[in-house]
Amino acid sequence: MAPDDRSRALDAAHHAALRFLDSVAERPVWPRASLDDMLAEFGGPLPDHGLDAAAVVEEMAVLADPGLVAIPGGRFFGFVIGGTHPAALAADWLVSAWDQNSGSSTLTPATVAMERVAGQWMLDLFGLPATASVGFVTGGQLANFTCLATARHAALARAGRDVAEQGFRGSPPLRFVVGADRHGSVDRAARFLGIGRAELTVVPSDDQGRMSADGLEQALVGGEGPLIVCLQAGEVHTGAFDDFAALIPIAHRHGAWVHIDGAFGLWAAASPALSHLTAGMADADSWATDAHKTLNVPYDCGMAIVRDPADSIAAFRTGGDYLIYSGLDPWDVTPELSRRARGVPAWAALRSLGRSGIAGLLDRLHANAVAMASGLAAIDAVQILNDVEYTQVMFRVDSDDATRALGAAILDEGTAALTGAEWRGRAALRCSMSSWATTPADIERTVQAIRALVAV
């Protein structure tokens, strides 16, 4: 490499990034190339000779363009995926440039300090115990896994089983209680932990997906053995929140560890106007959430939060005579040892927005959902399927086939991205309001595009 190769490659990446970001306002939101198209562009035999680093970056950017989704723009509503806040994006570039292995505070004190402070700020925003551990993981899936692995370890320890020493063979059977409308990542985390679908106790939910308090009580009466109850902050279709103030005391009365899957819903606590949705949430034992959803930082950035750090340490602290320990380190509270400093962009976003900016972001996301629901409800044949209390809007038209056809037409038309779902046995379309970049004009433009498609 020549001395200036790195600078020229970074300049090429900078220009390509700005070119893409400048295009998102008008480019089709959904990609215009398939996986096979992209494999054809990027594939073939590995060349015998390499290319200049800057040329590789430029080639990559040009070839990838038709296969990219306009997620950073204001009209991506397909999944609960935020845009990228400017401070978080720039911080993420520095994370890659610094290339710090952020498992140990002794090895990389700057990035670990920023992650620790970001975690403390989040605990404050969420109204959770200031002494809780916050482990930065890849996303909501690993946050749920990390919290539930900690819960399993702690629940068995309460029953007299030292898993680290004795393992699981011969251990008391674990009871795992979930709601009927839980997110699939909860089942997947349970599977990773050796808990099969047939072993789950499923509690009924209401028409918005909230767990039934009476159902939970009935599910727990008479049971024995270590117990984990998993609740939800923000059902992924409706945005509904379980009634924590009613459910958590029931679970604790039966000796349960209570976990809350709040990938995008925990953030409601940061808005005075929306915090009523999370009343009672702080009484749980663990919480999972994402920053790459509502906080709008780049992928990947999830958080596994555990009330008592001793429980995290018991489940995850490693050994090794070459490792340096200095109090509570990142590798003490998650499955990873080596990793990038994924929490640094979260620190940057929090520092840039401040408490009032974060509350304002949450309020705008909710206002956008209300405006989208109102605009869609004014279209003949459109039916809104949920109470728009948070950031989700779900709707359908006359039939399942027509609803699915409308979903495909929206993606093909290109103005916005929505994705299909199924709710109570019927086809639906779902809008997730997650991006800081979405404006009232984006909502109006999307509604008008859908109105035109419905009229066809």
Side-chain angles (χ1 to χ4, degrees), residues 99-113:
D99 194 25
Q100 303 289 287
N101 183 342
S102 297
S104 164
S105 61
T106 300
L107 178 63
T108 53
T111 56
V112 172

Side-chain angles (χ1 to χ4, degrees), residues 35-180:
L35 175 60
D36 286 343
D37 295 332
M38 290 290 94
L39 288 171
E41 292 285 5
F42 288 105
L46 177 66
D48 291 331
H49 303 288
L51 278 180
D52 170 79
V56 169
V57 171
E58 180 61 23
E59 177 187 60
M60 180 179 71
V62 170
L63 294 179
D65 191 74
L68 298 175
V69 187
I71 292 174
R75 296 187 304 281
F76 180 85
F77 309 120
F79 300 96
V80 188
I81 298 176
T84 307
H85 187 275
L89 173 59
D92 199 55
W93 287 5
L94 278 179
V95 167
S96 294
W98 291 340
D99 194 25
Q100 303 289 287
N101 183 342
S102 297
S104 164
S105 61
T106 300
L107 178 63
T108 53
T111 56
V112 172
M114 281 187 275
E115 288 193 343
R116 186 171 297 177
V117 171
Q120 291 169 348
W121 286 346
M122 289 180 200
L123 293 174
D124 180 34
L125 288 169
F126 300 154
L128 301 183
T131 54
S133 66
V134 181
F136 285 88
V137 293
T138 56
Q141 175 68 81
L142 263 292
N144 276 327
F145 168 78
T146 300
C147 289
L148 292 173
T150 305
R152 180 185 65 176
H153 196 284
L156 288 171
R158 294 172 185 172
R161 185 76 177 186
D162 183 348
V163 173
E165 181 65 28
Q166 300 170 288
F168 297 107
R169 183 176 298 174
S171 65
L174 188 69
R175 292 186 293 155
F176 192 76
V177 180
V178 298

Side-chain angles (χ1 to χ4, degrees), residues 234-378:
E235 204 282 332
V236 75
H237 299 85
T238 68
F241 288 65
D242 284 337
D243 185 350
F244 306 121
L247 295 165
I248 293 176
I250 294 171
H252 279 163
R253 192 166 64 248
H254 289 272
W257 175 292
V258 178
H259 170 66
I260 296 178
D261 171 20
F264 65 105
L266 248 60
W267 293 91
S271 162
L274 297 170
S275 60
H276 64 279
L277 297 170
T278 64
M281 180 179 76
D283 293 328
D285 301 289
S286 61
W287 307 262
T289 191
D290 274 340
H292 59 242
K293 289 183 169 64
T294 310
L295 188 59
N296 281 233
V297 309
Y299 274 94
D300 51 28
C301 190
M303 286 78 69
I305 305 171
V306 175
R307 174 179 292 277
D308 187 347
D311 290 323
S312 297
I313 291 170
F316 289 109
R317 175 165 279 177
T318 186
D321 56 8
Y322 68 97
L323 299 177
I324 303 170
Y325 290 94
S326 56
L328 188 67
D329 274 338
W331 58 26
D332 290 327
V333 297
T334 73
E336 295 173 297
L337 288 177
S338 300
R339 65 166 176 83
R340 76 195 307 268
R342 60 173 60 97
V344 169
W347 181 91
L350 292 166
R351 180 65 183 87
S352 179
L353 289 165
R355 187 183 302 275
S356 62
I358 294 163
L361 171 61
L362 267 296
D363 293 343
R364 287 195 303 278
L365 297 181
H366 177 239
N368 286 339
V370 171
M372 179 70 83
S374 177
L376 292 174

